[in-house]
Amino acid sequence: KITTEGRKAALDLRVLNHAAPDLPDSKLNLAADKIFQVWKETAADQGTQLVFCDLSTPSKLRRRFSAYDDLREKLQKHGVPAEQIAFIQDYDSDVQKHSLFKDIRAGRVRILLGSTQKMGTGTNVQERLAALHHLDAPWRPADVEQREGRILRQGNRNKSVQIYRYVTEGSFDAYM
């Protein structure tokens, strides 16, 4: 319980307490800025990005705070159109995922957020991937390799890619 709460606090204190302030230097704010920057820089090629976050995932339960929703709102405020941002959790069937992956490969959806489990094996969207973002550290070191295997693979048009790890100083992130 302590480890899980420490990981949540490192992501954003609002995961534990929805009334906590939105700190300007939080992971979500820094990630939103970087994701937007890459989105803008890769617009001509319709570059795509994956954002991994295993905590505070979208849920049918009515939570007061969701890191995914917060990040989407921040990106939209920056100017990213809503239709270019997707959550893998919104696509349940193989048919839906196939359609989503096709849209990502075509550059129509340019930012996909998801957990390691939902965006692991079978997520073949590497064609236009320009950047991958780790908002949290997964439990198992092999999961980092699984995440990065989505972008570091054959079939990616980009000769070089960017991988970002967001770490909250003095938090459980260093332990993980």
Side-chain angles (χ1 to χ4, degrees):
K1 182 169 174 53
I2 291 170
T3 301
T4 298
E5 290 196 357
R7 292 178 69 220
K8 289 177 180 178
L11 175 62
D12 194 294
L13 287 173
R14 295 173 297 161
V15 175
L16 296 173
N17 177 1
H18 72 278
D22 182 6
L23 302 174
D25 289 336
S26 72
K27 278 188 195 183
L28 294 178
N29 282 309
L30 296 175
D33 292 345
K34 182 54 72 176
I35 294 165
F36 176 69
Q37 178 187 344
V38 173
W39 176 84
K40 212 167 48 171
E41 289 171 354
T42 63
D45 297 325
Q46 295 173 302
T48 59
Q49 302 178 69
L50 294 180
V51 182
F52 282 95
C53 184
D54 292 346
L55 300 168
S56 191
T57 59
S59 171
K60 304 284 187 241
L61 304 173
R62 295 179 78 57
R63 293 185 188 147
R64 293 185 181 227
F65 178 80
S66 163
Y68 281 59
D69 291 334
D70 186 67
L71 186 56
R72 176 175 48 200
E73 289 171 20
K74 290 175 185 330
L75 290 169
Q76 287 177 305
K77 284 181 183 172
H78 279 314
V80 178
E83 64 273 8
Q84 291 188 16
I85 305 167
F87 299 166
I88 191 75
Q89 287 83 353
D90 292 338
Y91 300 82
D92 294 322
S93 72
D94 288 340
V95 172
Q96 289 174 323
K97 287 180 186 172
H98 177 75
S99 178
L100 170 65
F101 295 166
K102 185 177 174 182
D103 285 344
I104 295 168
R105 287 190 298 269
R108 290 186 290 272
V109 172
R110 296 192 46 215
I111 300 167
L112 178 62
L113 287 86
S115 63
T116 306
Q117 182 181 6
K118 294 266 186 183
M119 284 196 316
T121 305
T123 304
N124 296 316
V125 295
Q126 69 273 7
E127 190 171 327
R128 295 174 185 270
L129 282 178
L132 182 142
H133 306 264
H134 296 280
L135 293 184
D136 57 10
W139 279 108
R140 298 175 306 208
D143 289 343
V144 173
E145 190 174 330
Q146 179 62 244
R147 287 175 170 192
E148 293 180 2
R150 302 306 97 220
I151 194 169
L152 300 174
R153 64 187 311 164
Q154 249 181 329
N156 191 336
R157 296 179 183 182
N158 297 301
K159 293 183 193 288
S160 65
V161 296
Q162 303 165 49
I163 297 175
Y164 297 96
R165 288 181 180 81
Y166 300 86
V167 178
T168 302
E169 190 174 0
S171 76
F172 234 84
D173 284 341
Y175 173 79
M176 290 301 291

